Amino acid sequence: MSITPRTVISTDADLVTSINVFTVTPGRQAELVAALDRTTRVFFATVPGFRSANVHASQDGTRVVNYAQWASAGHFEPMLRMPEARPHLAEIGALVEQSDPRLYEVRSTHHGALTAPR
């Protein structure tokens, strides 16, 4: 039986999270989402230490958020300097007006009560 990897948001997870908020012109949001999906599949997911990525598109068409989990900052930061990363990072950079990348640690999580659907 194979186990499908999933994003786990937990204070117990020994991970760092890269959250990058991209600002785009509304006409470029879908293009950026497609580029992030493609580059994650063909490059980022192959890098040692990569755990998961999730791409969120704002309903107003002006933001895209990339939420990616890595084993450690020691895995994430060297990836940014890899020659193989340059064309992927350049493609993404050419599509955005602004980006705000940061590394985070999960400090707390909260959940609503589980109820049966009506």
Side-chain angles (χ1 to χ4, degrees):
M1 177 173 100
S2 67
I3 297 173
T4 303
R6 299 190 187 279
T7 300
V8 175
I9 301 174
S10 168
T11 57
D12 297 336
D14 191 20
L15 301 166
V16 296
T17 304
S18 166
I19 301 176
N20 197 340
V21 179
F22 299 99
T23 302
V24 296
T25 58
R28 300 208 87 171
Q29 186 188 57
E31 192 177 358
L32 177 59
V33 167
L36 288 166
D37 285 344
R38 183 177 52 259
T39 58
T40 298
R41 225 178 18 261
V42 301
F43 175 68
F44 296 114
T46 69
V47 176
F50 174 85
R51 295 295 180 259
S52 70
N54 301 272
V55 178
H56 305 258
S58 67
Q59 292 185 342
D60 67 2
T62 64
R63 302 277 192 296
V64 175
V65 176
N66 186 24
Y67 182 101
Q69 294 180 323
W70 290 81
S72 69
H75 286 90
F76 175 77
E77 291 164 351
M79 174 279 298
L80 295 173
R81 296 186 295 276
M82 293 173 69
E84 302 89 347
R86 290 186 190 125
H88 302 290
L89 297 174
E91 176 187 13
I92 292 164
L95 296 171
V96 304
E97 299 293 317
Q98 186 176 347
S99 67
D100 186 19
R102 310 280 174 169
L103 286 182
Y104 295 85
E105 296 174 0
V106 177
R107 295 296 175 96
S108 69
T109 61
H110 306 274
H111 306 277
L114 295 178
T115 58
R118 294 180 195 204

